[in-house]
Each structure stands twice: as structure tokens, then as C-alpha cells.
Amino acid sequence: MLVEKGTPGFETLRLEKKMGTHASSTAALTFTDCRIPRANLLGKPGEGMKVMIATLNKSRPSAGAQALGIASAAFDDMLTYTNERIQGGKTVVQHQANTFLMADLATELLSVRLLLDHVGRLIDDGEKDIGVEASMIKIKASDLAMRLATEAVQMFGGHGYTREHRVERLMREAKVTQIWEGTNQIQRQVIGRDLLARYS
Ligand SMILES: Cc1cc2nc3c(=O)[nH]c(=O)nc-3n(C[C@H](O)[C@H](O)[C@H](O)COP(=O)(O)OP(=O)(O)OC[C@H]3O[C@@H](n4cnc5c(N)ncnc54)[C@H](O)[C@@H]3O)c2cc1C
């Protein structure tokens, strides 16, 4: 623990009421003249940015992995449901527009899995300069999670909008993956700045 509960000057202002992510609390914290023991320092004084970047290079791929899990769950639920529900004399997935949608989404899922494997291998190999790849997987996986969860709700029809099925929760859980660890706009800025620096 970096700042122990009860440290003078450290206060929890409020617990946020959120759209999802209910298994973990999110709170606004304040630190007023708050002194912490030297032993609790992360890294060395003046090297905070270095620690933060090294952390983000791993936490962004983790956020991507979580988003990929949401996307995969939405895809499984959608395929199961549309394979059972009959409309217009055939299963929902057998209508060609829907078969093609599933084909596109399966292709997207595989490409994001492969990108995540690639970034995981860079981390395992001890590669330090992976800021761009970390941002790329964070964008691709979270945008796919949001898209897949939204398509899943749509494929469930009216049932998708109820709490009877998991897809409505997946849609709420997917949203935050485009926001935390730096919004996807910020990830695009990281990638764009790197490109500009390399080609200018
Ligand atoms: C459930 C939850 C848990 C969280 N957990 C943590 C945590 O554990 N640790 C932690 O440090 N943070 C955490 N966060 C914070 C999260 O990382 C930030 O909310 C997020 O990075 C966005 O910052 P912001 O809220 O200040 O939005 P802002 O920076 O105010 O952004 C508002 C809008 O402006 C856009 N924007 C901002 N700057 C630019 C720019 N330069 N160019 C283009 N568009 C821009 C953003 O993309 C966004 O659309 C959490 C957030 C949530 C919702």
C-alpha cells in the first residue's frame, strides 16, 4: 500500500456510482499535506514519469486482454442465441446478412487475438519500447468489445435490452475499456506522435 488508510491528510471524498465495473470501487481521493514514509516511494524521486510509462506499457495490454474477453463473451452469447432463435423459417444466424456479420466479427476477433499475442511476446522478451504497440492493442480490443457487445444486444432483439441476458451487461462493461488507461483518443495521439517523429 502506497498511502495507508488513516494517513493524516488522506481522504476519500466519495464513491462513484457507475454504469458498470461494479466489482471494484472507484473513488475520488484527496491528499492534503499528506506525508508518507520514504519506504513507500515507487521508484526514485524525480522518476515518476518513467515509472508511469513502464506501468502503462503493461497495463494497456492488460486492459486490451480484458476487452478481448468481453468481446469473446459477447460473440459466444450472440452465436448461441442466434443459432437457436427461429425467425422467418430459419435461425436468425442463417439469414445471410447475419451470417456475414458473424464472419466479419470472427475475423476481427482473430486479428485482435493475434495482435495481443504479438504484444505479449514483446513483453515476455523484455522489450521496453512498446508504447505504440500497447496503445494499438488497447484501441483495437476495446473498440471491438464495444462493437461486438452492441451487435450482440442488437442480435438478441428486444431480449437484448433486458437484464435477462448477459449481453446488456457486456455492453455496459465494454464502454469503460475505451475510456480507462487513457481514452482511445489519447492512444491515437501516442501512435500519431510516434509516426510524426519517425517520418519528419
Ligand atoms: C471505472 C473507472 C476506473 C478508473 N480507474 C483508474 C485507475 O485505477 N487509475 C487511474 O489512474 N485512473 C483511473 N481511471 C481514470 C481514467 O483513466 C480517466 O477517466 C481517463 O484516462 C480519461 O481521463 P478524464 O476522465 O480526465 O477525461 P478527460 O481527459 O477530461 O477527457 C474528456 C474527453 O476529452 C478527450 N480528450 C482529452 N484530451 C484530449 C486530447 N489531447 N486530444 C483529443 N481528445 C482529448 C477525451 O478522449 C475524452 O473524450 C478510471 C476511470 C474509470 C471510469
Side-chain angles (χ1 to χ4, degrees):
M1 188 65 74
L2 294 178
V3 183
E4 298 288 346
K5 212 171 173 181
T7 306
F10 170 37
E11 260 187 275
T12 303
L13 272 192
R14 61 173 185 280
L15 284 177
E16 306 291 357
K17 290 183 180 151
K18 296 170 295 181
M19 184 189 286
T21 325
H22 293 138
S24 107
S25 357
T26 304
L29 308 175
T30 58
F31 304 90
T32 311
D33 297 329
C34 181
R35 297 184 70 82
I36 58 161
R38 194 170 287 276
N40 290 18
L41 272 178
L42 257 188
K44 294 189 187 126
E47 291 190 352
M49 192 63 168
K50 210 165 116 185
V51 172
M52 192 187 78
I53 297 291
T55 307
L56 287 175
N57 283 352
K58 290 196 179 153
S59 62
R60 285 176 175 164
S62 299
Q66 182 212 12
L68 182 59
I70 294 172
S72 306
F75 190 64
D76 287 347
D77 288 7
M78 177 166 58
L79 264 185
T80 305
Y81 185 82
T82 55
N83 217 13
E84 283 168 3
R85 177 133 175 113
I86 311 266
Q87 283 297 18
K90 43 180 145 172
T91 64
V92 169
V93 73
Q94 280 170 339
H95 292 275
Q96 196 181 56
N98 299 333
T99 317
F100 282 5
L101 174 69
M102 302 301 164
D104 283 345
L105 293 174
T107 308
E108 287 290 313
L109 259 180
L110 179 59
S111 61
V112 172
R113 269 196 196 112
L114 293 174
L115 180 58
L116 182 65
D117 280 353
H118 170 68
V119 179
R121 246 190 311 275
L122 292 177
I123 293 172
D124 285 349
D125 290 348
E127 190 67 57
K128 297 276 182 276
D129 188 15
I130 59 158
V132 165
E133 289 85 353
S135 288
M136 285 175 170
I137 185 59
K138 202 274 185 180
I139 293 175
K140 289 299 284 181
S142 59
D143 283 354
L144 182 62
M146 195 65 228
R147 178 171 176 215
L148 247 159
T150 308
E151 297 287 12
V153 167
Q154 190 72 20
M155 281 291 110
F156 273 67
H159 293 281
Y161 198 67
T162 70
R163 297 224 161 161
E164 188 189 342
H165 300 280
R166 169 169 83 154
V167 287
E168 69 81 27
R169 181 165 71 83
L170 292 174
M171 190 171 164
R172 288 184 288 109
E173 300 295 352
K175 188 62 218 170
V176 80
T177 68
Q178 295 178 305
I179 295 173
W180 63 16
E181 295 300 324
T183 62
N184 283 3
Q185 287 95 324
I186 296 301
Q187 310 302 327
R188 290 184 171 94
Q189 206 168 69
V190 169
I191 301 166
R193 276 190 184 147
D194 179 80
L195 281 175
L196 294 184
R198 277 196 282 142
Y199 287 87
S200 61

